[in-house]
Structure formats: C-alpha cells, structure tokens
Amino acid sequence: MPVAGIRPGTHDQPADLVVRNAKVHTNDPRRPRATAVAIRDGLIQAVGDDADVVPLVGPDTRVVDALGRRAVPGLNDAHLHVIRGGLNYVLELRWDGVPTLREALAMLRLQAERTPPGQWVRVVGGWSADQFAERRLPTLEELNAAAPDTPVFVLHLYQSALLNRAALRAAGFTRDTPDPAGGQIVRGHDGEPTGLLIAAPGALLLYSTLAKAPVLDEADRIGSTRHFLRELNRFGLTSAIDAAGGFQSFPENYGTVMELARQGELTLRIAYHLFPQTAGQELDDLTRWVNTVRPGEGDEWLRLNGAGENLTWAAADFENFTEPRPQLGAYESEFEKAVRLLTENGWGFRLHATYDETIRRDLAVFEKLAAEGLFPQGNRWLFDHAETVSPASLDRIAALGGAVSVQNRLSFQGEAFVSRYGAPAAAEAPPLRAMLDRGLTVAAGTDATRVSSYNPWVALHWLVSGRAVSGRRLAAEHNRLSREQALELYTLGGARLTGEEEVKGRLTVGSYADLALLSADYFSVPEADIAHIESVLTVVGGRIVHAAAEHQGLAPELPEVSPSWSPVTRFGGYHATPAPSLTAPSLTAPSLTGVRQAEGVLEAVAASGEQHAWRAARGLALPGQPQVPLDPCFF
C-alpha cells in the first residue's frame, strides 16, 4: 500500500519493517529522538528521520505509519514469574484493574456458572482490596452465595486466601487438619475451618492449597503460555527475567517455554533463574545444576541467567506486611556453601530480601568470601525487593558490585506497610534515589502474577508518582523518579541484569528490534493516566506480535483459548479502564463526558446500596431505613 512520500527503492538490503511518523524515544543519549526505525533480520537497521529510512524501503518492506504516536524500546520486566504465570493463565479469573468489589463478585458469579464440575474458580494475585471503591475484601458469605457448589479460591497478596465451602471440601480441610508452620487455618467456634487462610508470615499454606486444584494438560499449557505472552505483549513487554519461585520445578515446569522456543513461537524474550524447591536439598540441587548448564548459554530468546530468588529456604524473609517481620534462625552456614558453590562455578544469582535485617546478614557472608578473594569473581548478583534496605547496606552492596531489582509491591501492599511501619518508612520504601545516587544498577519489575499485576504501566506510574492503587501517595518527592529515569529502569535496567545492555533496551543500530508504539504519549499524559497506557503495536525481533487500534490485524491470530470455559474467553486478562484524557478528542464532548459521569454515579449508588445491605445484615444499620449508622453512642 503506498504511503505518502515513500516509494519502493532498490537498496541491496531493504528493510523488512519500517515504522515511520513516530515520536521515537531511543534511550540513546547520542540520538535521543527520531521519527523512524528500519528493521532487518530482527535487528535495528536504521534510526533517524523519515527521510533517512526511505532508501531502505523495498518492494516487500512493510511500512507502518505510527500516526504521530510515541514509540519506546520494548519493556523488560526484571522480576516476573512469567513461566509459572503462563502455565496457569487460562485457569485464572483476573481481578487486575477491576474498580469495584461489586463488579469483581459479579465476574466470579458468572465464572462459577461456566466452570464444569471438578474445576475451581481461581482469583490469584494482581489485585488488592485497596483498589476497590468499597475498600474491603469479599466476605466468605459472599463467596458462598456467588458459588455454592463450585470451589472458589481467592488469593489476596501474600497475606491471605479465601475459600468457599466447596473449596474447603475439595482441598480436604477439616477440623482435624493441623496448622502448618508459618500459616494459620482460621476456625470458627465449632472448630471447623471458616475458609480463611493466613500467611503467618509464610505463604506456603496459600500456595500449597492452590496446588491442590486441577492443572492443564500439556497441550493446554502451551496454549495458555502463548496467550499469556500475548497478554504481556499487549502492554509493550518484549523481555522478562523469570524469577522462578515456589512450586516451579526444573526441568518439569520449564518444558512449555522450551517447546515454544524450539518452535520459534516465543513472543517474549525470557532469561530464567533456577530455584531449589526442597528444604534441606538445596545444595544437592544446585550441585546438579552447575554441573549441567551454565548461565549465558542459550540464545536471545531463552537463556539461563543464574540461581535464585532463593538459594536456601532458611534465608527467605517472607513479606506479609500485615504480620511482624519474620525472625529467621541461623542459616549462614548452608547459605555460605550455596554462594561459594555458585561463585566458583561462574553462576550469578538473585536473592529475595525484603528487610534490611536479612540483607545485612547476607552481606556479611559475601564480605567473608570477598576477603578470601572468592566473591563476586565477575558474576552478576543482586537483591530483589529491598523495601527497607539501609544506606549502610547500600554502600556495602555497591562495594561488592551488586545490583538491586525493585518492584511495585507497595502499589498493592502500601496501606498495610504504612499501618505497620509508618508513613516515613513508606516514603523511602524502597530508597530508589539512594540506590541511583550510589551508581548501583537498578532494574524495575512487578513480581507478578501473585502479588502485583503484570501491567508494567501500573509499575511505571508507581515509580513516577509514588502512589498506591488506593490513590495514596507513599513515596517522598525526592524518592520519585522522572519519567525518563523510570523508563530506563524498565528497559536498560533489566538488560544490565542479563548482560545484554549492548543489544537490548535502546533503539540503536544493531540492537534487537524490540519496540512498542503506545496508546498515549508516556512523556506528556497527566501523571494519573500513565497506568492506563497500553501498546497499539508491539514488535519483538522484528515481528509484529501485538496490534490494536488502527493497527488491528497486523499481528498473527492465536488459536482459540482452551479450555472453552476459561475465564479468559469471557473476561480477558487485565481489566482495562481507560482514563478520560486518553480517549479521542471527540469523546471529551460534554454530552459523552456527562454519560461517563452519570455511569460513575450509578456505579457509586449501586456500591453504596450493597454496602448498606452488608451493614444492615450485621446490625450496623437500620434495615429499610435511610442509611443512618447504628452507633451505640447515640442509640
């Protein structure tokens, strides 16, 4: 199709794809801005003005007119449980981005009706009660009413899980089921489980209960992962570092992405970590791995990046902020053996470490090995999370050549963090500015899918605004990043953790052809609208893997979701809630703006009515009367 001003040329190496008429942010200080990008053989062939790429347009070149949209390097989530998330994506009902509990319960009720006998309805992460207009969790009565016969499991962060009566039966919980270490099965006066499980403070009880639900067969696991990767592409993600995690065993649970890589069907570049799963067996597992594979081997699509985010279970500090900080026992001896083994064999690693108390103990082990000349020996290593890391610990990390990967967990857990540690502590959690001031490599991600949402723009909004999903501003002004800095953490930051900064994270000649064309200009939209951005065109390795809006149809279609009753077939993934300022100019006309406002009022009235009914059922309001609180001080 002819494009104004561009005619096929005769260049001996014509581009495969040209994106023109864009506002290109390159992440390259030598040429920070451009209007066009040419791509050949999966790499950036040219970056410049439209006139610079005209000679590269041949008869078979696909030319995409960006229509003046913002283009950025493909996003790279530096801490995403993408492998585990892909294996379960089509089984999960996502409450990510849903604005009201009323709507969330309606989704659950509809899904329960569609779910066949023997299967569960699962709401697993990516949401918080703080995002709902009602500012509360669903009650067990509401879950039982919504799904009287279908097992329902609702995970809320690393804090708790809610099970309806059918799920209690399916999971085998009875009055005789003992509480596991680090977890609590809440019971009624009769001794029977109520359906509330609490991480106290460890999440093992929550995850082991979820593991009792049915799983997909191999064919559906492949389909589920393909759809999940496309969902990530929807937001402009082109790379991710998989942080492994509990109940993700190697090699069994890695087989799906390995098969997709063999078929050339990955639409996201994945660097993965290996996580010893069995307490007491960690050194045996690590020894087998270091004698089998080496980090960095693989290719640009699938590669091993090291061990972690646990090396030994005894060193893990769980982060349920509604519970006190866990008091860890002695773990240094086995931990030192694990670090020594990895370092001697050229393996880097990442460590889950929420609290400074844990980070200090880990650093003492590293410094002991460094004094022997054994650490870090050129191996990449980093701390994950680090919400309460101290300035002194940051100095020690810098001295040992370490890095930090930060996530927007306080977007979803911020209110709980403030309640326990106070607003001043939340203002520095984690201390982003202090990390950057020390010259540390810092990368950003989400820790999705069981805590934060996988939507990277929610995380970028948090880095820039410091606000939780409740709307509360947590981060101090000096601890918030500019939009350019935040984007660098989400592109080049992750590339530095995998040693790919020369070919990933920038739009420069010779780099991987990974980019996203955005639904709105990240650099100019109002701050609150950053979280509503999506990609309208995502390119990975020169292939268009996601296309929407005016580019609809340019990406290959995926097979239908299987099983057919999957929540994804009815509700999709992340619940998009476009901000008014991101809509087309015609949609800001007073009449349509008034419609949106009226719809908002209706939603608020409905939520208010349901809240009144909920209060009345508990004797906190007068049934059938105006909503006057039944306050014992006055009645």
Side-chain angles (χ1 to χ4, degrees):
M1 176 177 178
V3 177
I6 292 184
R7 294 291 181 272
T10 58
H11 197 278
D12 58 352
Q13 288 190 320
D16 301 320
L17 174 67
V18 164
V19 178
R20 63 172 290 273
N21 190 22
K23 291 184 288 186
V24 181
H25 176 80
T26 66
N27 252 4
D28 180 7
R30 294 167 298 183
R31 181 162 193 171
R33 290 173 295 278
T35 65
V37 176
I39 295 166
R40 180 180 171 85
D41 295 332
L43 301 176
I44 302 292
Q45 186 182 18
V47 179
D49 297 331
D50 282 18
D52 297 327
V53 304
V54 166
L56 300 174
V57 176
D60 298 319
T61 302
R62 168 174 276 170
V63 179
V64 174
D65 187 341
L67 301 176
R69 290 189 184 274
R70 173 66 66 183
V72 298
L75 302 185
N76 186 349
D77 190 318
H79 187 120
L80 176 65
H81 296 279
V82 60
I83 293 174
R84 186 175 67 192
L87 296 177
N88 298 285
Y89 175 65
V90 301
L91 291 175
E92 295 174 354
L93 176 66
R94 306 303 306 179
W95 282 356
D96 307 42
V98 176
T100 69
L101 178 58
R102 174 174 172 269
E103 184 173 349
L105 286 170
M107 294 167 63
L108 191 148
R109 188 178 301 108
L110 287 171
Q111 183 56 38
E113 294 172 355
R114 303 173 66 249
T115 301
Q119 290 289 343
W120 295 23
V121 177
R122 306 162 225 211
V123 180
V124 185
W127 66 282
S128 167
D130 297 334
Q131 81 192 39
F132 294 145
E134 298 89 340
R135 293 292 196 270
R136 67 173 180 88
L137 294 171
T139 66
L140 293 169
E141 291 85 352
E142 287 169 330
L143 294 189
N144 285 309
D149 303 312
T150 303
V152 172
F153 176 97
V154 177
L155 178 69
H156 186 234
L157 308 172
Y158 284 144
Q159 298 175 9
S160 60
L162 300 171
L163 283 70
N164 68 350
R165 284 187 290 268
L168 285 173
R169 291 192 297 269
F173 286 118
T174 69
R175 64 186 304 132
D176 300 320
T177 305
D179 287 349
Q184 180 186 357
I185 303 170
V186 177
R187 305 167 197 274
H189 290 297
D190 58 1
E192 295 290 343
T194 64
L196 175 61
L197 309 181
I198 296 178
L204 184 60
L205 170 62
L206 314 183
Y207 292 170
S208 61
T209 302
L210 179 61
K212 297 178 181 181
V215 298
L216 296 168
D217 62 27
E218 178 57 27
D220 282 345
R221 284 198 293 271
I222 289 176
S224 177
T225 298
R226 291 179 69 187
H227 279 276
F228 184 50
L229 298 185
R230 280 290 191 93
E231 173 73 354
L232 299 177
N233 298 149
R234 166 188 166 192
F235 296 100
L237 277 165
T238 60
S239 291
I241 306 177
D242 186 87
F247 296 89
Q248 182 173 310
S249 298
F250 180 82
E252 300 91 332
N253 296 130
Y254 292 71
T256 299
V257 294
M258 292 166 66
E259 180 60 26
L260 288 173
R262 275 192 290 268
Q263 297 173 9
E265 293 185 359
L266 287 178
T267 61
L268 189 84
R269 305 181 192 274
I270 300 173
Y272 60 90
H273 286 251
L274 300 183
F275 183 126
Q277 294 294 308
T278 305
Q281 189 180 301
E282 299 96 332
L283 285 175
D284 292 337
D285 288 341
L286 292 171
T287 300
R288 278 194 297 273
W289 296 339
V290 300
N291 289 326
T292 305
V293 289
R294 293 184 63 82
E297 293 179 350
D299 57 29
E300 66 268 27
W301 290 98
L302 187 66
R303 58 193 288 145
L304 172 66
N305 199 50
E309 59 183 294
N310 272 4
L311 303 185
T312 62
W313 279 94
D317 60 351
F318 299 103
E319 69 295 342
N320 178 0
F321 295 131
T322 62
E323 294 281 327
R325 177 179 62 82
Q327 300 298 313
L328 304 182
Y331 65 79
E332 281 81 355
S333 176
E334 291 298 298
F335 180 74
E336 179 183 331
K337 293 176 184 176
V339 175
R340 187 185 296 269
L341 173 68
L342 293 170
T343 304
E344 289 175 346
N345 285 275
W347 276 57
F349 58 86
R350 65 191 309 157
L351 287 171
H352 172 109
T354 300
Y355 303 100
D356 189 58
E357 290 80 357
T358 309
I359 291 170
R360 292 200 306 266
R361 292 174 65 174
D362 293 350
L363 286 169
V365 172
F366 303 158
E367 288 164 345
K368 176 183 176 183
L369 295 176
E372 301 175 25
L374 299 176
F375 188 86
Q377 290 193 339
N379 299 310
R380 290 187 298 272
W381 69 274
L382 64 132
F383 283 115
D384 277 304
H385 315 313
E387 276 88 356
T388 70
V389 65
S390 66
S393 293
L394 290 177
D395 290 337
R396 296 165 70 187
I397 294 169
L400 290 169
V404 185
S405 176
V406 298
Q407 300 78 41
N408 64 314
R409 301 193 306 179
L410 289 199
S411 288
F412 298 85
Q413 301 184 91
E415 298 293 342
F417 189 95
V418 169
S419 295
R420 179 160 297 278
Y421 298 108
E428 303 291 335
L432 300 170
R433 181 63 57 194
M435 295 173 185
L436 295 174
D437 287 347
R438 285 164 172 78
L440 286 168
T441 292
V442 183
T446 57
D447 200 8
T449 59
R450 293 184 175 176
V451 181
S452 303
S453 171
Y454 51 74
N455 184 344
W457 299 101
V458 175
L460 283 158
H461 173 259
W462 171 76
L463 290 168
V464 170
S465 71
R467 292 187 186 276
V469 294
S470 64
R472 180 173 183 169
R473 196 187 295 274
L474 301 175
E477 183 176 358
H478 71 268
N479 200 36
R480 303 196 291 268
L481 303 184
S482 70
R483 301 190 192 201
E484 290 80 4
Q485 289 171 321
L487 186 63
E488 181 171 333
L489 265 59
Y490 233 102
T491 50
L492 277 169
R496 289 169 180 140
L497 295 188
T498 57
E500 297 175 283
E501 61 268 32
E502 296 303 317
V503 291
K504 188 187 288 188
R506 292 190 179 100
L507 296 178
T508 57
V509 174
S511 296
Y512 295 153
D514 302 347
L515 62 87
L517 202 60
L518 304 182
S519 59
D521 191 343
Y522 165 69
F523 293 106
S524 62
V525 295
E527 183 180 88
D529 290 354
I530 293 173
H532 299 274
I533 293 173
E534 296 187 16
S535 174
V536 298
L537 188 83
T538 305
V539 177
V540 188
R543 290 184 291 147
I544 297 175
V545 297
H546 166 77
E550 58 270 12
H551 305 296
Q552 186 76 39
L554 293 184
E557 291 291 329
L558 283 177
E560 291 187 0
V561 173
S562 178
S564 60
W565 54 266
S566 163
V568 175
T569 64
R570 174 65 176 82
F571 303 105
Y574 187 90
H575 184 88
T577 52
S581 58
L582 296 188
T583 56
S586 61
L587 296 184
T588 61
S591 59
L592 291 182
T593 301
V595 170
R596 279 198 303 273
Q597 184 184 54
E599 288 173 345
V601 172
L602 287 174
E603 192 72 43
V605 169
S608 177
E610 293 213 358
Q611 183 182 29
H612 180 60
W614 184 85
R615 291 171 58 81
R618 289 156 179 76
L620 301 174
L622 298 172
Q625 299 294 323
Q627 297 187 32
V628 179
L630 189 58
D631 191 325
C633 292
F634 297 96
F635 292 89

